[in-house]
Amino acid sequence: MVDRNPWLNFFSHAVLIFGVAIVAFPLYLALVASTHTADAIVQSPMPLLPGTHMWENYKEALIGSGKLGSNTNVIQMMWVSFMVAMLITVGKIAISLLSAFAIVYFRFPFKMLCFWAIFLTLMLPVEVRILPTYKVVAELGMLNSYAGLTLPLIASATATFLFRQFFLTVPDELVEAARIDGAGAMRFFKDILVPLSKTSIAALFVIQFIYGWNQYLWPLLMTTSEDMYPVVIGIKRMLAGGEAAVDWNIVMATAILAMLPPTAVVMLMQKWFVKGLVDTEK
């Protein structure tokens, strides 16, 4: 039993509030900047209270004015980001489930060698593999396409390892019961393993969706058409170079809008996400 010391509780809560304030203050500044005019933001000191131009700024960001370095609007860019994030997430989970299933429940030559070959890909950062991967994708004609943006990123050694470790904890009695009932390999996978893995799938869904949504380096190389810009690339394109003035109010409004989908995914799946990380039920 842990003693509840009032001073210790006060100190722990003070540290927690201080940490939240450090993380939240830049987000608050971005939100405030998205409600002012561009001239008001560059003044010194910058306003710390919301302004009266919120709807105008967000409307201009959503519709697009063509003066921010891109002729596309935030709706189009967010749609591209959503499609990329969903395709990467679903692809990673599906491939990882099947590969872990094969490694655990099938016998074939060099099975462990295949597993360690998959696992060793974690030692190669994306930057090392990005040029040969780009060459292959370009030669296949997949530039400026969803296939080119997602296919090179859907393989996941981490997810394969996590599912393998979980499948190893599944009791052998379930396998024997499935065999007695006449269930084949894919039926056992679909009716037993996938339902048992739902919490792990939910946790990986949140992590991989955020991973796909925040992709920057690979889309930067893959996209030359403005119609295929994800929102992260779109924000970078909005920061005009040279002596051109940057409409920071529109940029900040776009940044706030770009945060909404991953935030919604985390909030809606928070229960499953936490359960998938800490649940030990088999």
Side-chain angles (χ1 to χ4, degrees):
M1 206 119 174
V2 179
D3 294 333
R4 293 192 176 184
N5 190 316
W7 290 105
L8 184 60
N9 288 339
F10 173 80
F11 177 75
S12 60
H13 282 79
V15 172
L16 179 62
I17 294 172
F18 180 72
V20 171
I22 292 177
V23 174
F25 186 67
L27 302 180
Y28 174 76
L29 286 182
L31 180 62
V32 169
S34 68
T35 63
H36 287 276
T37 62
D39 295 334
I41 295 174
V42 297
Q43 292 178 357
S44 182
M46 174 185 165
L48 295 179
L49 295 176
T52 59
H53 295 77
M54 177 178 179
W55 300 115
E56 294 88 340
N57 293 340
Y58 281 89
K59 180 180 178 181
E60 184 174 350
L62 287 170
I63 297 176
S65 60
K67 65 179 182 180
L68 298 175
S70 175
N71 292 323
T72 57
N73 52 55
V74 174
I75 296 177
Q76 171 65 21
M77 292 188 292
M78 290 181 68
W79 173 252
V80 173
S81 293
F82 177 78
M83 290 297 298
V84 170
M86 286 299 297
L87 290 172
I88 290 176
T89 302
V90 175
K92 277 180 177 287
I93 292 175
I95 291 177
S96 300
L97 278 169
L98 291 171
S99 58
F101 175 60
I103 290 172
V104 173
Y105 291 101
F106 286 83
R107 296 179 181 177
F108 53 90
F110 309 110
K111 179 174 73 171
M112 291 308 299
L113 178 62
C114 294
F115 168 70
W116 286 110
I118 295 173
F119 191 72
L120 286 175
T121 59
L122 293 173
M123 307 301 169
L124 295 175
V126 176
E127 292 77 10
V128 174
R129 298 176 279 115
I130 199 165
L131 288 180
T133 304
Y134 176 82
K135 185 176 186 299
V136 172
V137 172
E139 291 180 350
L140 292 176
M142 293 192 298
L143 298 178
N144 294 312
S145 67
Y146 289 114
L149 285 171
T150 58
L151 284 179
L153 302 177
I154 62 174
S156 175
T158 304
T160 301
F161 176 75
L162 292 176
F163 283 125
R164 173 186 177 269
Q165 297 305 109
F166 175 76
F167 290 166
L168 289 174
T169 65
V170 175
D172 294 335
E173 289 79 2
L174 287 177
V175 182
E176 296 299 328
R179 288 175 179 172
I180 293 173
D181 289 341
M186 293 311 298
R187 184 176 177 185
F188 172 73
F189 172 76
K190 178 176 67 73
D191 294 341
I192 297 178
L193 288 183
V194 173
L196 287 176
S197 307
K198 60 183 180 182
T199 54
S200 300
I201 292 173
L204 282 171
F205 181 90
V206 175
I207 296 171
Q208 300 300 339
F209 184 89
I210 296 174
Y211 166 82
W213 184 272
N214 291 330
Q215 280 297 308
Y216 175 77
L217 181 59
W218 181 246
L220 182 66
L221 295 177
M222 281 294 303
T223 55
T224 57
S225 172
E226 292 184 348
D227 293 337
M228 293 302 298
Y229 284 166
V231 68
V232 177
I233 302 297
I235 293 174
K236 177 63 176 66
R237 300 289 185 181
M238 289 179 178
L239 303 177
E243 299 180 355
V246 177
D247 290 332
W248 286 105
N249 54 338
I250 310 301
V251 175
M252 292 298 104
T254 304
I256 295 296
L257 291 171
M259 292 172 52
L260 296 181
T263 302
V265 169
V266 172
M267 293 179 64
L268 293 174
M269 302 190 66
Q270 181 180 7
K271 178 181 177 181
W272 289 98
F273 176 69
V274 175
K275 190 175 181 180
L277 295 179
V278 304
D279 192 11
T280 58
E281 294 180 1
K282 303 297 183 290

